[in-house]
Amino acid sequence: METTTKTKIKVDYDSIIIGAGFSGLAMLHHLRKLNFKSLIIEAGSGVGGTWYWNTYPGARTDSEFYYYSFSFSKEVREEWSWKERYPAQPEVLEYLKFVSKRLDLEKDIKFNTKVLGANFDEVNEIWRVKLSDGSELTTKYFISCMGVLSAAIYPKIPGIDKFKGESYHTSEWPRDRQVDLKGKRVGLIGLGASGVQIVPVIAPIVKDLYVFQRTPNYVVASTNLKVDDNWMKQVRENYDALHRQAEKHGFAVPFYKPTVGAKDVSPQEREEIFEKGWLEGGFHFMLECFNDLATNEESNQYASDFIRKKIRETVKDPVKAELLCPKDYPFNGKRPPGGHGYYEAYNNDHVHLIDVKSTPISEITEKGIKVGNQEYELDVIIYATGFDAMTGQLTRIDIKGRKGELLRDHWSDGLKTNLGLSVNGFPNFFMVLGPQTPYANLPIAIQKGVSWIQNAIKHAESNNAYAIESERSADLEWAKEVYRAGSSTIMSKGELGNAWFLGANLDGKNREFNVYMGGADVYFDKCDRVEEDKYPGWELIKN
Ligand code: N01
């Protein structure tokens, strides 16, 4: 197959995409509609991205199946049946394998290969992409589909390499063998969404589980259910409507939008609404109870109090219960994880909760974890310590734009992107779920993103352009809007819990909103308007 795009010299591909997860698979499919010769470069041996790498015990979606999936392919929608309301990792991985097979994507994926870097050749206006197998490929368009939470971080604790037992990061869990935790003494560091999912799943298996907690989370119970044929049929019949509804929602979910604030109703009504939301569970509690939990401190306080009450009711040991209650930051200050028996697990005597906020972990030793003077002897340590989110995957490799400028240097004084899709100085480079895209349910955002990129490229090609490039003024304007939107949320106020979306979970990273907090619906509208108005803020380079 020949390339079809307008280039100054012959290139190997019209587009090279990094990553074969939700984003990469969707991007490849969309670019095929332009008759592009495309290639995905994927580090893993199979498709799946996040769902390929994160095979830790208990991994599952915090979002429900009917909006944690694509709607663009009729074949996939008709032929795939989900099994669980909150699908577990193996099911999501099977789904992505099915998408890949049904849309015949695998023939254009190069597995077991990493992109080490890429540089924009200004003379020829093409990208040169360096791969881990030593080869270099040329392409007109270079598209990152590396996901937002893929660059793992380990904590900086002295002695981390000394431990003689087994240790695993959640996102680097072994894929070629079962990790046997039966009867073992296991230590867990990290209680974000990953750690919270692990606790109740391994508690019944291990001999002792030592949970080293620095910051407790507001974990909202999620009721998982089997998806029967009837439910699946209803969703199938309404896929388009559900996705349209999700696109009109600030978090990109097809949810009811509440019209009142928690502070504006009587205490009794508030309690009833919170109870109903809690029963519905997961993101429904966060998004469907009231319209001001992320913006009004008083209302947020009511939600935070409600969850603390639930924790105290569930956890029998009052000392553990108090430790598990977040007190120094508000609900939503971190991304709230969904719980599946999380607090209940602490009612087991062999699940020990160690407060490492008051006395931090001092050292990892050959035998285990030392907190102050106390050493906890362990067979296995699990690091659920998160990611260099939103930017890490892009800044850990050498992406060089005009004049050889590195993307990480370009962002060293603050993030600047055009709607999180493009960056000035980096022509023909696009990002699906780049930094400064919405804090939202991702498959819906991905679907919008790939379709926008497809149309922007089509626009460049139909105008005979060598390149399409974001204008600096547009990047700066978007950075201003990202700051404005973030500043109006409770996430920007007071003491916060090291949230990844603020870059606050990593020493040395700039503290700034890495995501757009103004609402996915508002963002999608902006993207649509840019498309309709023929891409103001982007320049076409024709000679
Ligand atoms: O990572 P995190 P994650 N000593 O950054 C702790 C998505 N996701 O992998 O809060 C002790 O949230 C750290 O403590 P603190 C989802 O968007 C989705 O769990 O900094 N603890 C924190 O508890 C999620 O938000 C799903 O005080 C240390 C933890 O490590 C995002 O991924 C499932 C420490 C890191 O939490 C990231 O979640 C899973 C130290 N030295 C994840 N250093 C689904 O729904 C760090 N920590 C699909």
Side-chain angles (χ1 to χ4, degrees):
M1 188 184 180
E2 289 295 302
T3 54
T4 56
T5 50
K6 186 189 173 193
T7 46
K8 288 181 180 166
I9 58 165
K10 198 172 174 318
V11 283
D12 299 314
Y13 292 94
D14 294 306
S15 70
I16 287 184
I17 298 162
I18 325 178
F22 266 96
S23 304
L25 296 177
M27 193 71 252
L28 176 61
H29 176 70
H30 279 67
L31 288 178
R32 279 203 185 152
K33 293 184 193 158
L34 303 183
N35 284 326
F36 267 28
K37 183 183 177 196
S38 302
L39 181 72
I40 295 184
I41 309 293
E42 167 56 54
S45 62
V47 301
T50 288
W51 299 100
Y52 171 92
W53 297 106
N54 286 264
T55 58
Y56 62 84
R60 67 172 66 246
T61 68
D62 278 349
S63 305
E64 294 150 285
F65 70 96
Y66 57 94
Y67 52 88
Y68 201 82
S69 47
F70 291 136
S71 70
F72 61 73
S73 158
K74 279 227 159 23
E75 299 89 332
V76 171
R77 273 162 43 174
E78 290 304 317
E79 294 168 29
W80 176 262
S81 294
W82 289 99
K83 297 193 194 78
E84 288 190 278
R85 180 187 187 189
Y86 295 99
Q89 175 272 333
E91 190 179 358
V92 187
L93 184 59
E94 279 312 308
Y95 171 73
L96 290 172
K97 284 183 184 168
F98 180 77
V99 170
S100 169
K101 191 157 178 243
R102 193 63 186 80
L103 303 178
D104 194 20
L105 300 175
E106 248 174 63
K107 64 180 184 216
D108 292 326
I109 306 178
K110 185 173 169 68
F111 291 109
N112 301 306
T113 311
K114 286 185 180 171
V115 171
L116 301 181
N119 63 291
F120 184 67
D121 169 344
E122 278 194 89
V123 175
N124 296 305
E125 290 182 302
I126 56 158
W127 282 92
R128 297 183 179 278
V129 183
K130 287 188 188 57
L131 306 183
S132 54
D133 63 6
S135 62
E136 181 185 275
L137 295 176
T138 52
T139 178
K140 179 163 182 183
Y141 296 101
F142 179 49
I143 305 172
S144 165
C145 291
M146 288 190 277
V148 295
L149 295 147
S150 50
I153 49 178
Y154 285 80
K156 287 205 173 92
I157 302 174
I160 193 157
D161 296 325
K162 281 194 198 153
F163 182 56
K164 291 262 199 276
E166 301 162 59
S167 48
Y168 305 103
H169 191 285
T170 47
S171 77
E172 293 166 357
W173 202 264
R175 312 180 39 75
D176 51 351
R177 65 184 167 90
Q178 278 291 109
V179 174
D180 185 12
L181 299 175
K182 196 165 169 224
K184 299 213 169 130
R185 298 162 303 171
V186 178
L188 170 68
I189 303 177
L191 288 170
S194 306
V196 162
Q197 289 182 336
I198 291 176
V199 170
V201 172
I202 68 169
I205 304 167
V206 302
K207 178 168 181 283
D208 281 292
L209 175 57
Y210 295 91
V211 180
F212 297 88
Q213 174 187 271
R214 189 164 67 185
T215 311
N217 235 312
Y218 291 93
V219 180
V220 179
S222 308
T223 315
N224 200 11
L225 299 167
K226 294 277 167 236
V227 179
D228 61 17
D229 291 348
N230 204 21
W231 192 1
M232 197 60 231
K233 182 167 171 278
Q234 266 178 26
V235 168
R236 261 196 206 111
E237 283 167 3
N238 292 296
Y239 245 117
D240 285 329
L242 285 166
H243 274 241
R244 268 199 307 275
Q245 191 186 349
E247 287 172 17
K248 299 277 171 227
H249 190 283
F251 200 65
V253 287
F255 283 9
Y256 159 77
K257 286 189 190 177
T259 51
V260 286
K263 63 180 185 341
D264 303 322
V265 297
S266 71
Q268 192 195 337
E269 199 182 339
R270 190 159 53 232
E271 195 67 8
E272 282 168 13
I273 291 173
F274 276 143
E275 277 296 344
K276 194 163 165 268
W278 189 260
L279 276 181
E280 192 61 26
F283 293 138
H284 291 276
F285 178 85
M286 168 177 142
L287 301 166
E288 285 188 320
C289 288
F290 297 104
N291 66 4
D292 61 351
L293 299 186
T295 50
N296 183 277
E297 285 176 67
E298 182 189 339
S299 292
N300 182 284
Q301 185 69 41
Y302 293 128
S304 306
D305 286 344
F306 181 87
I307 300 175
R308 282 190 283 267
K309 186 185 81 173
K310 287 289 177 195
I311 298 172
R312 291 181 181 119
E313 281 170 9
T314 310
V315 181
K316 298 201 175 87
D317 175 343
V319 178
K320 277 185 184 170
E322 279 320 295
L323 266 179
L324 287 165
C325 285
K327 295 190 182 103
D328 52 8
Y329 74 99
F331 173 56
N332 278 330
K334 291 163 85 80
R335 144 70 155 85
H340 297 268
Y342 174 67
Y343 291 121
E344 290 80 353
Y346 290 94
N347 289 331
N348 292 293
D349 290 340
H350 72 287
V351 178
H352 315 280
L353 184 62
I354 297 114
D355 172 17
V356 297
K357 182 145 217 159
S358 51
T359 312
I361 297 171
S362 44
E363 182 184 357
I364 306 239
T365 65
E366 287 189 6
K367 290 185 185 160
I369 295 178
K370 211 165 165 188
V371 179
N373 288 327
Q374 174 146 13
E375 187 176 34
Y376 295 88
E377 293 194 10
L378 303 167
D379 303 304
V380 181
I381 298 177
I382 300 175
Y383 295 99
T385 44
F387 303 90
D388 182 353
M390 303 306 295
T391 57
Q393 66 285 0
L394 292 155
T395 54
R396 284 181 183 190
I397 59 173
D398 290 348
I399 299 177
K400 291 181 184 170
R402 289 195 188 282
K403 300 190 181 67
E405 187 190 22
L406 278 162
L407 189 55
R408 65 174 161 273
D409 292 344
H410 187 75
W411 286 338
S412 61
D413 60 351
L415 287 168
K416 298 171 281 297
T417 73
N418 197 345
L419 295 170
L421 292 158
S422 299
V423 184
N424 171 253
F426 296 77
N428 288 347
F429 169 61
F430 290 97
M431 301 170 292
V432 179
L433 299 184
Q436 303 185 325
T437 51
Y439 180 60
N441 167 48
L442 298 182
I444 302 281
I446 289 168
Q447 192 162 309
K448 282 295 279 183
V450 296
S451 149
W452 190 95
I453 292 170
Q454 176 202 352
N455 288 335
I457 288 178
K458 194 170 162 190
H459 171 73
E461 289 303 316
S462 58
N463 278 282
N464 260 327
Y466 286 115
I468 175 166
E469 180 176 359
S470 171
E471 290 165 8
R472 185 173 153 75
S473 57
D475 288 15
L476 295 177
E477 209 175 295
W478 185 240
K480 231 162 88 184
E481 167 60 9
V482 170
Y483 176 79
R484 185 210 59 77
S487 307
S488 63
T489 64
I490 56 105
M491 286 86 155
S492 67
K493 297 187 181 78
E495 180 65 26
L496 288 173
N498 299 340
W500 57 256
F501 51 69
L502 278 162
N505 62 333
L506 192 57
D507 286 344
K509 190 165 174 174
N510 290 340
R511 297 288 184 272
E512 60 180 320
F513 277 93
N514 281 223
V515 290
Y516 179 55
M517 288 287 182
D521 49 348
V522 173
Y523 172 85
F524 296 152
D525 275 352
K526 277 183 200 289
C527 293
D528 288 348
R529 238 177 301 133
V530 170
E531 204 174 291
E532 279 157 26
D533 296 346
K534 300 283 175 256
Y535 306 91
W538 272 266
E539 188 191 351
L540 293 183
I541 295 149
K542 296 191 183 178
N543 49 38

